[in-house]
Amino acid sequence: MEGQEGAQQPQLVLAHKLFLLRQPDVQDIEKVQLKEEVFTYVKDNDMLPLYETLIADSVLDADRSLLDSMRAKIDEELKKLDEKITDAEENLGESEVREAHLAKSLFFIRIGEKEKALEHLKLTESKTVAVGQKMDLVFYILQLGFFDLDFDLISKSIDKAKNLFEEGGDWERKNRLKVYEGLYCMSTRNFKKAANLFLDSISTFTTYELFPYDTFIFYTVLTSIISLDRVSLKQKVVDAPEILTVIGKIPYLSEFLNSLYDCQYKSFFSAFAGITEQIKLDRYLHPHFRYYMREVRTVVYSQFLESYKSVTIEAMAKAFGVTVDFIDLELSRFIAAGKLHCKIDKVAGVLETNRPDAKNALYQATIKQGDFLLNRIQKLSRVIDL
């Protein structure tokens, strides 16, 4: 999934490579290449804290001369940055002082010193007046949070950004924040909110520092499929021109979406198998892999059963291109979990749907509330009579 324009934040690319290195599903030959790329990036950017962590985790081999060289370069660069700050404070204006502090903050971000970076970003903020510049500092903090998936830091930073917008912020940064919040929601299994935020940002997407546009569309489609009803899915996703221009470039995604909407269940299961590998190797979606697989299957089984009062298990198995035993086992799990409203007649080999009737449920609720109201009126009348 390559981006169309803009550059992804290099440390987030690094974070993805580190994630892949730890995955058993990634082939060893790919891991050799990944290890070389990680080592090169760490060495070129003097990422001493990360290098020491990777040595301790046996991901990279220790090189004492390289460690000493990194320490020397870091000390030398910090000395230069401190001199610039001193010079700015003594001889220049407030904006130059802020820029000098920001440069030191960005240096700590580059070498992976998270705590020091946060400390100096806070110091830089105290020297900042413009709301837009304060927002940019929050985006730096959010990127730090997404590097090691520090959800507490991300959540607090998003709240802080929203408060800043109340003071007045431009729409470009506000739209970027929606994508950051959407990614946070998706990473914390709030797929419905993530889908809404992503869909709001499709036509204004500029957040290339997080991920390429193709990846953004991938996340948008995946979260929408399990969050939207058929009508909304058609309007906002299936027929969306922004999605149509990109979806064909992403393996299996077009077939996955369109076969679901067109009720081509055999094709859907075929695409489903291909999509699962991509989800499993995505560091934001990986922790929710099993949950997402269950939710997608719930959606597709519910959609199939919606058309029937009763249907044979054999007919359903044929529609999905799987065995009768597989469907029987699958549905029994979902029915037991309360995900599907149907029952299996094993003797007759038939599925009978027992969907809750919305009108009947509303009628029963009205009767119940009416009885409650009458009881309250009777009690009140007795009090008044006394």
Side-chain angles (χ1 to χ4, degrees):
M1 288 182 226
E2 297 298 327
Q4 293 168 318
E5 56 182 279
Q8 189 175 3
Q9 217 271 348
Q11 292 201 357
L12 293 180
V13 177
L14 174 67
H16 182 63
K17 290 176 180 177
L18 290 171
F19 165 77
L20 293 177
L21 273 175
R22 295 183 171 97
Q23 296 309 305
D25 294 324
V26 177
Q27 295 181 356
D28 289 340
I29 192 165
E30 290 181 40
K31 287 186 177 180
V32 171
Q33 178 67 26
L34 286 167
K35 192 178 284 190
E36 288 177 5
E37 291 172 1
V38 167
F39 177 71
T40 300
Y41 187 85
V42 167
K43 182 178 69 172
D44 291 347
N45 290 278
D46 300 317
M47 299 186 75
L48 180 62
L50 179 60
Y51 186 38
E52 289 174 335
T53 301
L54 294 176
I55 291 169
D57 293 344
S58 302
V59 176
L60 296 179
D61 299 322
D63 183 336
R64 294 297 162 194
S65 61
L66 180 59
L67 284 165
D68 293 338
S69 171
M70 282 182 174
R71 289 191 186 96
K73 285 181 182 177
I74 289 169
D75 290 341
E76 183 182 348
E77 186 64 27
L78 283 175
K79 187 178 178 182
K80 289 179 182 177
L81 289 166
D82 286 335
E83 286 173 357
K84 285 182 180 178
I85 290 172
T86 303
D87 179 55
E89 288 175 340
E90 292 176 355
N91 304 311
L92 303 171
E94 290 181 1
S95 62
E96 287 81 5
V97 172
R98 179 194 175 276
E99 291 302 317
H101 280 289
L102 178 60
K104 191 172 182 180
S105 303
L106 295 178
F107 175 72
F108 281 128
I109 291 174
R110 198 195 86 192
I111 65 172
E113 283 277 13
K114 180 182 173 183
E115 296 307 320
K116 290 183 179 178
L118 290 172
E119 181 186 328
H120 279 79
L121 282 168
K122 191 173 182 180
L123 181 60
T124 305
E125 186 188 2
S126 68
K127 311 279 183 187
T128 305
V129 177
V131 173
Q133 290 180 331
K134 286 183 179 181
M135 275 299 308
D136 290 338
L137 297 177
V138 174
F139 286 133
Y140 286 130
I141 295 171
L142 285 167
Q143 289 165 25
L144 280 171
F146 280 117
F147 178 79
D148 57 2
L149 299 180
D150 184 345
F151 294 125
D152 183 52
L153 177 65
I154 294 167
S155 176
K156 289 176 180 175
S157 299
I158 288 171
D159 290 340
K160 183 176 181 178
K162 288 178 178 178
N163 290 332
L164 282 171
F165 275 123
E166 291 178 7
E167 298 175 22
D170 61 85
W171 282 101
E172 191 268 336
R173 288 184 175 93
K174 193 168 187 178
N175 289 326
R176 283 175 64 200
L177 181 65
K178 283 184 182 179
V179 180
Y180 278 87
E181 187 178 4
L183 181 58
Y184 165 71
C185 291
M186 186 184 77
S187 303
T188 52
R189 205 177 283 185
N190 188 349
F191 290 116
K192 186 172 181 63
K193 188 173 181 181
N196 290 330
L197 287 164
F198 286 153
L199 288 167
D200 283 348
S201 309
I202 279 185
S203 58
T204 57
F205 180 83
T206 57
T207 322
Y208 296 99
E209 68 272 15
L210 279 185
F211 35 62
Y213 189 64
D214 292 10
T215 305
F216 170 67
I217 294 299
F218 178 70
Y219 291 154
T220 303
V221 172
L222 289 187
T223 53
S224 297
I225 279 176
I226 62 171
S227 304
L228 303 182
D229 57 62
R230 273 181 65 81
V231 175
S232 299
L233 191 69
K234 174 74 169 170
Q235 291 174 346
K236 297 180 179 180
V237 182
V238 176
D239 291 340
E242 296 89 353
I243 290 176
L244 289 171
T245 56
V246 174
I247 196 169
K249 302 176 186 177
I250 305 166
Y252 304 106
L253 191 62
S254 179
E255 189 181 359
F256 183 64
L257 172 65
N258 291 304
S259 59
L260 172 64
Y261 185 78
D262 296 335
C263 304
Q264 302 294 324
Y265 299 114
K266 196 178 289 187
S267 299
F268 174 82
F269 259 37
S270 174
F272 188 38
I275 284 285
T276 55
E277 292 305 309
Q278 296 180 54
I279 295 172
K280 199 183 290 184
L281 296 179
D282 184 282
R283 76 187 194 101
Y284 301 114
L285 289 170
H286 177 80
H288 317 295
F289 174 72
R290 290 184 181 279
Y291 173 83
Y292 186 82
M293 295 299 102
R294 284 197 303 272
E295 290 300 303
V296 169
R297 298 202 312 271
T298 301
V299 168
V300 73
Y301 293 148
S302 297
Q303 180 175 290
F304 177 85
L305 293 169
E306 190 75 27
S307 307
Y308 299 95
K309 179 68 179 172
S310 65
V311 62
T312 63
I313 301 175
E314 187 179 351
M316 186 171 180
K318 188 176 180 181
F320 282 91
V322 295
T323 64
V324 170
D325 290 339
F326 176 82
I327 281 291
D328 183 43
L329 182 62
E330 277 274 273
L331 295 184
S332 61
R333 288 173 179 165
F334 284 104
I335 292 167
K339 294 280 187 180
L340 294 176
H341 301 289
C342 65
K343 59 183 179 180
I344 301 173
D345 184 340
K346 187 72 173 174
V347 176
V350 171
L351 288 166
E352 295 180 6
T353 58
N354 55 358
R355 292 184 299 275
D357 186 338
K359 286 186 178 179
N360 189 43
L362 183 61
Y363 173 74
Q364 294 295 337
T366 305
I367 295 293
K368 191 174 181 180
Q369 290 170 0
D371 287 342
F372 179 71
L373 180 61
L374 286 171
N375 288 335
R376 293 292 298 271
I377 291 171
Q378 286 174 352
K379 287 179 182 178
L380 184 61
S381 66
R382 290 194 202 107
V383 173
I384 293 170
D385 288 343
L386 291 173

